[in-house]
Structure formats: C-alpha cells, structure tokens
C-alpha cells in the first residue's frame, strides 16, 4: 500500500523533528503507527491526491488524530480544536471550502492549510521564543503541482481572521494552533452575551457625557425624542443634534 501512496518529505520532517521531541511520542514506532493509520484511511476513501502531504492528512478521522494528540497536553481540548478549527464536517475550514469561494473548494485550500499548521505547530512549547510554522512551510505542505499558490495564501489569511484557536505573529509569517482561544474569540463570546438595549444605553450615556463640553456650539442635544420637537428653537447660534443609534439613516426622510 505504501508504494501506491508517495509521501511528501515534509510529513516525515515534521514528525521526526517536531513530534518526536515529545516525551510520549515514539520516534520510530510512533511515526510508523501514525502513517499506517493515515495510509489505511486514505486508501479506504479512494483518495486521489498525488501524494500524502501535511495538507492531506485525514484529521477528520478519529483514529488518525488520536494517534497524534495522545502525546499532547490537554488531549480533550485538542479534540475540540480539531473538530472546530481544522477538519471534519462541522469545522470552519470545511464550511469555507464547501460553501465559500470555488477557488477554495476546488483544491480544499482551507482544510489543507489548517491541517498543515496543525502538524507543524501543535508540538511547540508555549514558552519558546519563536512559535509556529512559517508561511513558506505551510505552502510547501499544502500546495500540489498545478495549484495556484495565491489561493492558499488567501485561504490562510481568511482562516487567521476567522478561527478561534489559530494564532499568528505580527508579520503574518508564523502560524500556530493552541488550546487557548484567541483574543478575537473571547471578544466574540463577550459580544454575544451583551443585549442590544445595553449597548444602546452605553452609547447614549457616553454621548451625553461628551456633550457637556459644548465647545463652539450654543447647545448639544443628544438623541432627541418626538422627531426633534424637544429641541428648542429659541436660541441663537450653532447647535448640534446627535441622533440615537436607532434613528436610521434618513433615506426615507422628506
């Protein structure tokens, strides 16, 4: 079976150079056992990729990802990361590939990029000075002959903005997965816990605080009610009227 599935050297380099540094991952037996499960899964699914690459590893299959993450700290947390951010029918990369741009769908760009980052970054140590896998190595592990490299660059950029557990450095060159949610994920969660009326109340309160400093205006009226009838017109000078967040854009105004 192995002769029918040529394997990209990057797969072995990541397994031997990165994963074999983990205490519970056996350098020879662990690699062979993992690859045996990968090959069996791809063979049973009639995979037609030119060769086995980091981007084609079937992390959607529980026996495959279990073989790797059993060596990592926080095994249960990594299961959640894989299911949501990397592979499987409910993962974001899968949805982006199948429902998004046809450029991604034709080559499974999002899934391949996410799988490559997973293989190349999960064994890293949080305290090390340089974390993650370089963009060039991600492309090396995901792009096959004939593929357009720009498609995978675009997929990686979109995943960086959408995934909850993918991190990148300031330059956008290094990428890695972690079991801790990103700040972006935490903001989205907090946002979902705030009711709309609370948001509007906070906006109006801050506007009223700032309105106390009139500056050049003779008067500042924040979020007037009754279509502006409560704004007096007996004063001279320039006045500022600030509409509330629910006032609309005025397109239908006469």
């Amino acid at each position: 079976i192995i002769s029918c599935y040529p394997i990209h050297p990057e797969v072995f380099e990541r397994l031997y150079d990165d994963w074999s540094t983990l205490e519970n991952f056996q350098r020879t037996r662990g690699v062979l056992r993992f690859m045996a499960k990968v090959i069996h899964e791809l063979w049973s699914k009639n995979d037609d990729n030119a060769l086995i690459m980091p981007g084609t590893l079937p992390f959607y299959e529980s026996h495959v990802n279990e073989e790797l993450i059993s060596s990592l700290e926080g095994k249960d947390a990594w299961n959640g990361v894989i299911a949501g951010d990397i592979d499987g029918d409910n993962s974001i990369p899968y949805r982006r590939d199948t429902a998004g741009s046809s450029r991604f769908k034709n080559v499974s760009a999002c899934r391949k990029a996410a799988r490559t980052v997973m293989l190349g970054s999960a064994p890293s140590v949080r305290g090390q000075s340089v974390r993650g896998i370089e963009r060039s190595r991600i492309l090396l592990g995901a792009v096959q002959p004939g593929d357009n490299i720009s498609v995978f660059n675009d997929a990686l950029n979109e995943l960086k903005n959408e995934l909850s557990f993918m991190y990148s450095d300031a330059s956008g060159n290094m990428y890695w997965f972690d079991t801790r949610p990103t700040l972006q994920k935490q903001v989205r969660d907090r946002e979902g816990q705030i009711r709309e009326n609370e948001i509007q109340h906070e906006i109006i309160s801050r506007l009223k605080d700032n309105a106390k400093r009139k500056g050049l205006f003779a008067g500042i009226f924040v979020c007037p009610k009754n279509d502006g009838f409560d704004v007096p017109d007996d004063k001279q000078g320039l006045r500022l009227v600030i509409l509330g967040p629910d006032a609309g854009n005025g397109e239908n105004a006469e």
Side-chain angles (χ1 to χ4, degrees), residues 106-224:
N106 293 338
V107 293
S108 302
C110 292
R111 278 171 289 176
K112 287 181 177 178
R115 292 166 181 165
T116 304
V117 175
M118 171 66 188
L119 184 70
S121 70
S124 61
V125 180
R126 290 177 179 174
Q128 66 190 53
S129 57
V130 179
R131 292 198 65 188
I133 177 174
E134 303 95 329
R135 180 181 285 262
S136 60
R137 283 198 171 274
I138 298 172
L139 298 176
L140 179 65
V143 180
Q144 297 199 29
D147 290 343
N148 188 335
I149 295 178
S150 66
V151 173
F152 291 84
N153 271 317
D154 291 344
L156 188 59
N157 289 335
E158 292 202 19
L159 291 178
K160 178 183 67 174
N161 295 327
E162 192 169 354
L163 298 185
S164 298
F165 298 94
M166 176 186 277
Y167 290 78
S168 67
D169 65 358
S171 66
N173 182 53
M174 305 291 292
Y175 293 81
W176 66 94
F177 279 110
D178 201 310
T179 55
R180 298 173 298 180
T182 63
L183 179 59
Q184 181 175 272
K185 162 68 172 173
Q186 296 178 51
V187 169
R188 286 200 299 263
D189 289 345
R190 289 282 299 275
E191 182 181 16
Q193 297 171 4
I194 302 175
R195 294 191 295 269
E196 181 68 23
N197 64 326
E198 294 177 336
I199 297 175
Q200 293 198 9
H201 180 269
E202 182 65 22
I203 292 174
I204 294 173
S205 295
R206 296 194 181 195
L207 288 173
K208 288 183 176 179
D209 286 341
N210 289 327
K212 295 175 182 178
R213 299 186 296 273
K214 296 181 180 180
L216 299 176
F217 295 104
I220 299 179
F221 303 92
V222 177
C223 306

